[in-house]
mmCIF file of all heavy atoms in Angstrom:
data_model
loop_
_atom_site.group_PDB
_atom_site.id
_atom_site.type_symbol
_atom_site.label_atom_id
_atom_site.label_comp_id
_atom_site.label_asym_id
_atom_site.label_seq_id
_atom_site.Cartn_x
_atom_site.Cartn_y
_atom_site.Cartn_z
ATOM 1 N N ILE A 94 98.100 96.877 104.963
ATOM 2 C CA ILE A 94 98.227 97.759 106.130
ATOM 3 C C ILE A 94 97.365 99.005 105.947
ATOM 4 O O ILE A 94 96.646 99.427 106.866
ATOM 5 C CB ILE A 94 99.699 98.155 106.363
ATOM 6 C CG1 ILE A 94 100.491 96.964 106.918
ATOM 7 C CG2 ILE A 94 99.802 99.346 107.316
ATOM 8 C CD1 ILE A 94 101.988 97.206 107.020
ATOM 9 N N TRP A 95 97.407 99.601 104.751
ATOM 10 C CA TRP A 95 96.666 100.852 104.526
ATOM 11 C C TRP A 95 95.164 100.635 104.571
ATOM 12 O O TRP A 95 94.417 101.540 104.978
ATOM 13 C CB TRP A 95 97.063 101.474 103.189
ATOM 14 C CG TRP A 95 98.502 101.881 103.109
ATOM 15 C CD1 TRP A 95 99.359 101.668 102.064
ATOM 16 C CD2 TRP A 95 99.264 102.573 104.113
ATOM 17 N NE1 TRP A 95 100.609 102.161 102.365
ATOM 18 C CE2 TRP A 95 100.573 102.728 103.617
ATOM 19 C CE3 TRP A 95 98.974 103.058 105.391
ATOM 20 C CZ2 TRP A 95 101.584 103.355 104.332
ATOM 21 C CZ3 TRP A 95 99.983 103.672 106.118
ATOM 22 C CH2 TRP A 95 101.257 103.824 105.587
ATOM 23 N N ILE A 96 94.693 99.475 104.169
ATOM 24 C CA ILE A 96 93.252 99.212 104.247
ATOM 25 C C ILE A 96 92.789 99.283 105.696
ATOM 26 O O ILE A 96 91.826 99.992 106.029
ATOM 27 C CB ILE A 96 92.917 97.843 103.626
ATOM 28 C CG1 ILE A 96 93.128 97.871 102.113
ATOM 29 C CG2 ILE A 96 91.464 97.460 103.940
ATOM 30 C CD1 ILE A 96 93.048 96.505 101.444
ATOM 31 N N PHE A 97 93.482 98.554 106.570
ATOM 32 C CA PHE A 97 93.080 98.556 107.987
ATOM 33 C C PHE A 97 93.289 99.932 108.616
ATOM 34 O O PHE A 97 92.457 100.407 109.391
ATOM 35 C CB PHE A 97 93.857 97.490 108.759
ATOM 36 C CG PHE A 97 93.435 96.081 108.435
ATOM 37 C CD1 PHE A 97 94.317 95.189 107.841
ATOM 38 C CD2 PHE A 97 92.163 95.643 108.718
ATOM 39 C CE1 PHE A 97 93.937 93.892 107.546
ATOM 40 C CE2 PHE A 97 91.754 94.343 108.419
ATOM 41 C CZ PHE A 97 92.655 93.472 107.827
ATOM 42 N N ARG A 98 94.407 100.549 108.280
ATOM 43 C CA ARG A 98 94.686 101.873 108.850
ATOM 44 C C ARG A 98 93.626 102.879 108.421
ATOM 45 O O ARG A 98 93.167 103.716 109.219
ATOM 46 C CB ARG A 98 96.074 102.329 108.401
ATOM 47 C CG ARG A 98 96.437 103.751 108.795
ATOM 48 C CD ARG A 98 96.736 103.929 110.276
ATOM 49 N NE ARG A 98 96.971 105.336 110.546
ATOM 50 C CZ ARG A 98 98.128 105.972 110.288
ATOM 51 N NH1 ARG A 98 99.154 105.303 109.766
ATOM 52 N NH2 ARG A 98 98.259 107.258 110.568
ATOM 53 N N ALA A 99 93.218 102.814 107.152
ATOM 54 C CA ALA A 99 92.198 103.746 106.671
ATOM 55 C C ALA A 99 90.868 103.526 107.389
ATOM 56 O O ALA A 99 90.188 104.492 107.744
ATOM 57 C CB ALA A 99 92.023 103.587 105.160
ATOM 58 N N TYR A 100 90.513 102.266 107.611
ATOM 59 C CA TYR A 100 89.269 101.995 108.341
ATOM 60 C C TYR A 100 89.349 102.547 109.770
ATOM 61 O O TYR A 100 88.349 103.015 110.319
ATOM 62 C CB TYR A 100 88.985 100.492 108.372
ATOM 63 C CG TYR A 100 88.307 99.973 107.121
ATOM 64 C CD1 TYR A 100 88.773 98.827 106.473
ATOM 65 C CD2 TYR A 100 87.184 100.606 106.598
ATOM 66 C CE1 TYR A 100 88.149 98.344 105.327
ATOM 67 C CE2 TYR A 100 86.549 100.130 105.456
ATOM 68 C CZ TYR A 100 87.038 98.997 104.820
ATOM 69 O OH TYR A 100 86.413 98.527 103.693
ATOM 70 N N ILE A 101 90.534 102.505 110.359
ATOM 71 C CA ILE A 101 90.711 103.075 111.698
ATOM 72 C C ILE A 101 90.575 104.599 111.644
ATOM 73 O O ILE A 101 89.866 105.208 112.454
ATOM 74 C CB ILE A 101 92.070 102.654 112.289
ATOM 75 C CG1 ILE A 101 92.052 101.158 112.633
ATOM 76 C CG2 ILE A 101 92.405 103.481 113.538
ATOM 77 C CD1 ILE A 101 93.407 100.583 113.014
ATOM 78 N N GLU A 102 91.229 105.220 110.671
ATOM 79 C CA GLU A 102 91.160 106.682 110.546
ATOM 80 C C GLU A 102 89.738 107.150 110.256
ATOM 81 O O GLU A 102 89.338 108.240 110.684
ATOM 82 C CB GLU A 102 92.101 107.159 109.436
ATOM 83 C CG GLU A 102 93.581 106.938 109.705
ATOM 84 C CD GLU A 102 94.136 107.848 110.793
ATOM 85 O OE1 GLU A 102 93.401 108.727 111.292
ATOM 86 O OE2 GLU A 102 95.327 107.675 111.138
ATOM 87 N N LEU A 103 88.973 106.331 109.561
ATOM 88 C CA LEU A 103 87.590 106.695 109.223
ATOM 89 C C LEU A 103 86.604 106.361 110.342
ATOM 90 O O LEU A 103 85.400 106.593 110.215
ATOM 91 C CB LEU A 103 87.157 105.991 107.935
ATOM 92 C CG LEU A 103 87.901 106.420 106.652
ATOM 93 C CD1 LEU A 103 87.550 105.500 105.493
ATOM 94 C CD2 LEU A 103 87.590 107.872 106.293
ATOM 95 N N GLY A 104 87.114 105.774 111.448
ATOM 96 C CA GLY A 104 86.281 105.471 112.605
ATOM 97 C C GLY A 104 85.480 104.194 112.484
ATOM 98 O O GLY A 104 84.588 103.934 113.310
ATOM 99 N N ILE A 105 85.793 103.378 111.490
ATOM 100 C CA ILE A 105 85.061 102.124 111.282
ATOM 101 C C ILE A 105 85.653 100.999 112.114
ATOM 102 O O ILE A 105 84.948 100.071 112.522
ATOM 103 C CB ILE A 105 85.064 101.781 109.774
ATOM 104 C CG1 ILE A 105 84.240 102.840 109.023
ATOM 105 C CG2 ILE A 105 84.512 100.384 109.507
ATOM 106 C CD1 ILE A 105 84.398 102.802 107.531
ATOM 107 N N MET A 106 86.937 101.071 112.397
ATOM 108 C CA MET A 106 87.608 100.114 113.285
ATOM 109 C C MET A 106 88.433 100.892 114.297
ATOM 110 O O MET A 106 88.693 102.094 114.118
ATOM 111 C CB MET A 106 88.531 99.174 112.480
ATOM 112 C CG MET A 106 87.827 98.303 111.474
ATOM 113 S SD MET A 106 88.990 97.213 110.602
ATOM 114 C CE MET A 106 87.920 96.612 109.281
ATOM 115 N N LYS A 107 88.873 100.198 115.331
ATOM 116 C CA LYS A 107 89.761 100.795 116.327
ATOM 117 C C LYS A 107 90.697 99.726 116.850
ATOM 118 O O LYS A 107 90.375 98.529 116.808
ATOM 119 C CB LYS A 107 88.959 101.416 117.472
ATOM 120 C CG LYS A 107 88.151 100.436 118.290
ATOM 121 C CD LYS A 107 87.365 101.148 119.366
ATOM 122 C CE LYS A 107 86.609 100.164 120.271
ATOM 123 N NZ LYS A 107 85.674 99.295 119.536
ATOM 124 N N PRO A 108 91.875 100.110 117.341
ATOM 125 C CA PRO A 108 92.788 99.120 117.921
ATOM 126 C C PRO A 108 92.090 98.282 118.983
ATOM 127 O O PRO A 108 91.315 98.797 119.794
ATOM 128 C CB PRO A 108 93.895 99.996 118.526
ATOM 129 C CG PRO A 108 93.900 101.223 117.671
ATOM 130 C CD PRO A 108 92.456 101.465 117.330
#
Side-chain angles (χ1 to χ4, degrees):
I94 287 173
W95 297 136
I96 291 170
F97 288 116
R98 174 73 184 281
Y100 277 132
I101 290 171
E102 294 289 355
L103 294 171
I105 294 168
M106 297 181 192
K107 64 182 184 302

